[in-house]
Amino acid sequence: GGGSPRQGEFDSAVQKGSVKECVALLRAEEEALDISKEQAYKMLSSIPLELSVDNEQQQQVLTSFIYSTFRKRGLLRGFGCTPATPEYLPCETKEIDVQTLERTTGLELQALTPRGSQFTWQAAGLAVCATEYLVSQQLGLDPMVVIPLTAAAFLADRVLVSGAVLESIYRLLFPKYKSKVVQHEAGHFLIAYLLGCPIQGFFLSAWDASSAGLQGQAGTIFFDNDLSSQMGNNKVTRTSIDRYSIVVMAGIAAEAVVYDQAEGGASDEEVLVSFLVGLIPPWDEKRVLNQARWAVLQSILLMSQHRESYDRLAKAMEEGRPLGECIKAIEDALPEALPANVTAEARARGDPSAGVVTVSSAKGVAK
């Protein structure tokens, strides 16, 4: 036990999964309490995913405190190990044209352009209608009654549970869809973690999101305290813009790396564009496109540097492991010398090869 008489109280709170009690004790006792790695992961797994507007701020304060405390104590080596600055990021240059992007990643621009799932959903809907028409005729039912009822059911599904029912059917018909969602979210998760954005949790389906009170599809819940406060003051730094851009584009990067083609991620692109054009002063189209290319390149290169962590994280997420175990998967696979530190040291020495880290093991299907 630690030097605090309240160590037993803390250990008990961790065991119970009472995060608020743990945080209160840590705030009161500061350095006096001992925290093992196992306890750290258990606390991370106990972070509640309450996403109502009422307690959002409180949740973020709680989550941020946990991550920053563990980082200070050396329990999370990977969290924030790659600052979003030119010294540490894999690619030093800011201007990225299409040729540079393709040459550095080994991927064509088309592979990094989400195909979008809208057509897929429309095709699925048409297939259902066609099947219903044939079945209705066989059963002697009026297709003009059955099909509108189904359309109404799909509409209710979309409005009430964000399309969770249709998504579930689609997952049954196309099992690969689930894997793509996992790889996509693992990309967001890993890059957010490396860049120091606290992660509150993740959803791999619309059902999961709806059950937590979040309208939408699969997603990784992360936040950036610096960016939030800067936006409130209308003084957003370039580092915050870059960090957010890289995390947002990481899902597209992951899909392209693993499957040679990004399908999901159109909404991520929309989020990034609206963020950049919403800045004061707003960014123009040329600058936005360059930022998107630059961000997806950084994501791919970071994945290349941390491929083992990425693969283990994706596996943990697919198995439904809790947050702490997913973070453990990242941490257990980190190299002894963190790539960002190696890059920064090489650049400080003036090593010309440290300008751009090329993709070595980024491509290929994840294990």
Side-chain angles (χ1 to χ4, degrees), residues 116-180:
S117 56
Q118 196 61 39
F119 173 76
T120 309
W121 292 116
Q122 289 169 351
L126 287 171
V128 169
C129 288
T131 304
E132 282 191 335
Y133 184 83
L134 294 171
V135 171
S136 298
Q137 285 190 319
Q138 290 290 322
L139 297 176
L141 300 172
D142 184 356
M144 293 304 106
V145 173
V146 176
I147 291 174
L149 284 174
T150 305
F154 278 143
L155 180 61
D157 170 45
R158 173 61 57 189
V159 172
L160 299 176
V161 286
S162 305
V165 175
L166 183 57
E167 185 192 54
S168 299
I169 296 168
Y170 190 78
R171 281 168 180 258
L172 285 172
L173 295 174
F174 303 98
K176 196 176 179 182
Y177 172 75
K178 182 188 175 184
S179 296
K180 286 193 175 184

Side-chain angles (χ1 to χ4, degrees), residues 329-363:
I330 294 173
E331 289 285 330
D332 286 351
L334 288 173
E336 193 172 332
L338 291 169
N341 293 342
V342 173
T343 300
E345 287 163 13
R347 286 179 184 153
R349 292 194 307 268
D351 184 345
S353 66
V356 177
V357 178
T358 54
V359 174
S360 53
S361 58
K363 291 191 73 177

Side-chain angles (χ1 to χ4, degrees), residues 70-289:
F70 293 168
R71 183 186 179 187
K72 277 189 289 187
R73 293 199 177 202
L75 294 166
L76 300 178
R77 284 179 67 226
F79 179 65
C81 70
T82 309
T85 57
E87 300 95 316
Y88 293 93
L89 288 171
C91 180
E92 199 172 18
T93 182
K94 283 281 188 186
E95 300 301 317
I96 303 295
D97 57 26
V98 174
Q99 290 75 22
T100 303
L101 177 64
E102 292 182 337
R103 184 178 67 252
T104 310
T105 63
L107 293 162
E108 292 183 7
L109 181 64
Q110 187 179 349
L112 296 162
T113 306
R115 287 177 176 170
S117 56
Q118 196 61 39
F119 173 76
T120 309
W121 292 116
Q122 289 169 351
L126 287 171
V128 169
C129 288
T131 304
E132 282 191 335
Y133 184 83
L134 294 171
V135 171
S136 298
Q137 285 190 319
Q138 290 290 322
L139 297 176
L141 300 172
D142 184 356
M144 293 304 106
V145 173
V146 176
I147 291 174
L149 284 174
T150 305
F154 278 143
L155 180 61
D157 170 45
R158 173 61 57 189
V159 172
L160 299 176
V161 286
S162 305
V165 175
L166 183 57
E167 185 192 54
S168 299
I169 296 168
Y170 190 78
R171 281 168 180 258
L172 285 172
L173 295 174
F174 303 98
K176 196 176 179 182
Y177 172 75
K178 182 188 175 184
S179 296
K180 286 193 175 184
V181 170
V182 170
Q183 301 295 340
H184 184 102
E185 296 309 326
H188 286 305
F189 190 131
L190 175 67
I191 302 305
Y193 186 76
L194 295 175
L195 268 57
C197 296
I199 297 151
Q200 203 173 331
F202 60 90
F203 306 111
L204 297 179
S205 72
W207 275 124
D208 294 341
S210 294
S211 64
L214 188 72
Q215 289 296 308
Q217 302 297 317
T220 300
I221 312 302
F222 72 94
F223 52 91
D224 185 329
N225 289 317
D226 290 344
L227 179 61
S228 298
S229 61
Q230 289 165 12
M231 287 185 76
N233 298 322
N234 284 329
K235 290 181 180 177
V236 183
T237 66
R238 183 59 192 260
T239 299
S240 292
I241 293 169
D242 288 346
R243 181 169 52 242
Y244 182 74
S245 300
I246 297 169
V247 176
V248 169
M249 295 300 284
I252 292 172
E255 283 195 52
V257 162
V258 176
Y259 299 106
D260 285 325
Q261 175 64 55
E263 288 194 16
S267 60
D268 292 337
E269 286 186 325
E270 290 168 12
V271 165
L272 181 61
V273 170
S274 63
F275 167 67
L276 295 173
V277 299
L279 293 171
I280 301 172
W283 286 28
D284 60 29
E285 184 183 358
K286 183 182 177 184
R287 203 174 174 197
V288 168
L289 289 172

